[in-house]
Amino acid sequence: MKVFKHTVLLLMAGAMIAGSCQKLDLDPLSEGSSENWFNNEQEISMALNALYAPSLWNFEARRAYNTDRFSDDWNQRVYLYDWLAGTITGEWGDTESLWAASYKGVARANTILYSLEKAEGLVADKKLEQYAGEAKFFRACFYSYLVFAYGDVPYYTGYITLEEAYKMGRINKETVLEGIYRDFDEAAQVLPERYVGTRRITKGAAYAFKARIALWMNDWKTCRDAAKACIDLGTYSLSPDYREIFLSKTKDCEEVIFDLPNSNALGLLAPQAMKSFIPRNNGGTNGAQPSWELFFAYPCTDGKMVDESPLWDPADPFKNRDPRLSEGCLPFGEMLGGIVYDPRPSAKKVPTADGVMVKNKDNKSVDQYASYNGLTLKKGIDEEWLDDYYTDASIIIMRYADVLLMFAEAKMELGEIDSGCLAAINKVRARAYKVDYTNTSAYPSITETDQAKLRRIIRNERRIELAWENRRWEDLIRWRLCGKALTTPIYGTPSNAKMAENEATGYWLFPKDIRPKIDKDGIVDCSAFLDAGYAQINVRRGFTERQYLFPIPTKELLVCDRLVQNEGY
């Protein structure tokens, strides 16, 4: 019995590849299916639209800041997500949802590729090639996530019998990677550089995502070449205003290469609840905020880190810092939604825009659930969040700044530390200062040519430029730094009495003569603050080495005995 693989997988109990039986994707007979669909441009386009569904983009859209929650950029009171606690198993919800969503995306892409022949003679050949390129792009993306998360995975691009499906095991990831590269290359050959009046996958996106999977695999030459191909198109540019990129009102930005468009009004995406990231004075819960480790990753305006710079001022820790800090974390004393944010112990009341003093719920002595480390998020927050605590801002998955930084890192790792390498990273840094990168006196330009030192700079630049964009966790995994970065405690402010005592000295959050330690890998150590009485341990992280790969979902192992679990699970 020869059948298309998508059909097979939808019928399989437990769905070895497409997901569990609770997630079957059967279409009513009265609606379109692969048997009676794909006869014209509208039908093919609608089928491709399903590949943009946020439910398929598990890493990015399962919840707000999905993988940032697994990184050292994140602080959430005394709570740890399972991955960060080192307690995941094959029954962990995230591994089940990633496996199911990714293979569902693969199946949908394959269905389209299989069915395009039905439109031959009805749709122009060039258009069919473009549609095929779009489907191949998505297939490559979903396989990229699978290879990164699981290593060797089942791989298919065509037909399979039911018996063959049950016998399918894991394919060496290098073989899968070859298929991923091929799909991206073929997509880039036929996709347009731009669309008019619509937002779809482009040639530049194919190059950029090929660069990303190559980056994940430490394939520096492929990463360099793919990133350069994207850059050389001249299609994208850095937005002049860093903050504007992430606001919900910004629906079209020259820097964004691929995002998931969102509209609560049109029902394009389930509303994203943002109350956890909003200060309590503004009606939020402020349950999660940027970590101190991220806070100290932003260098001072002389380009030096806070453990070295003479510009560091613990009495005013936002002063003389990279401008992206004040765009990522809300500065103390700054107004948000008509109310000043001031977590200092003495600030029992704060002013509103009308000059009225109100009870300060962002003070821990007033409200015990105020920010556990004194910080609160600013990146992306605008007035649209504050009316109902939901946002329909687009989910940005790839932007041009990331491509520039991938290009710089790949060249650095290849030992090609030249003007092109330095220009790529300097363009990103200069944009933060709102100056041209050639105006080297207006910002701390990077001139370092020592590979080890430049590696640290580039890695840190990625961290602060892409903070809370689901990139940090991926970087820690591919750099193999999780064992160092994610086994330390998460620190927060000490007791109210101790904070008040510290404030009396003029240094309530960070002590005058003590600085964090930042090692050669850019990992921040705040333990000195604990010893000085300026911190307490909120919760201890517990990453384990096995978690560099996800476990294969248990339900998949039960269905197919040819699947072998990853080591340690």
Side-chain angles (χ1 to χ4, degrees), residues 219-235:
D219 181 356
W220 303 117
K221 185 178 184 299
T222 300
C223 178
R224 178 201 62 192
D225 294 345
K228 187 175 188 300
C230 181
I231 293 168
D232 288 348
L233 289 175
T235 305

Side-chain angles (χ1 to χ4, degrees), residues 132-151:
E134 194 167 350
K136 288 177 181 179
F137 167 87
F138 283 106
R139 182 170 66 186
C141 285
F142 296 130
Y143 272 128
S144 295
Y145 287 127
L146 288 164
V147 166
F148 178 77
Y150 301 101

Side-chain angles (χ1 to χ4, degrees), residues 332-351:
F332 307 146
E334 186 171 300
M335 191 168 287
L336 176 68
I339 306 176
V340 166
Y341 180 74
D342 190 347
R344 289 177 304 145
S346 62
K348 300 296 193 294
K349 292 186 176 182
V350 290

Side-chain angles (χ1 to χ4, degrees), residues 296-316:
F296 286 116
Y298 293 86
C300 292
T301 52
D302 58 2
K304 297 179 180 180
M305 304 300 286
V306 297
D307 61 336
E308 299 177 342
S309 175
L311 300 180
W312 162 244
D313 183 358
D316 188 359

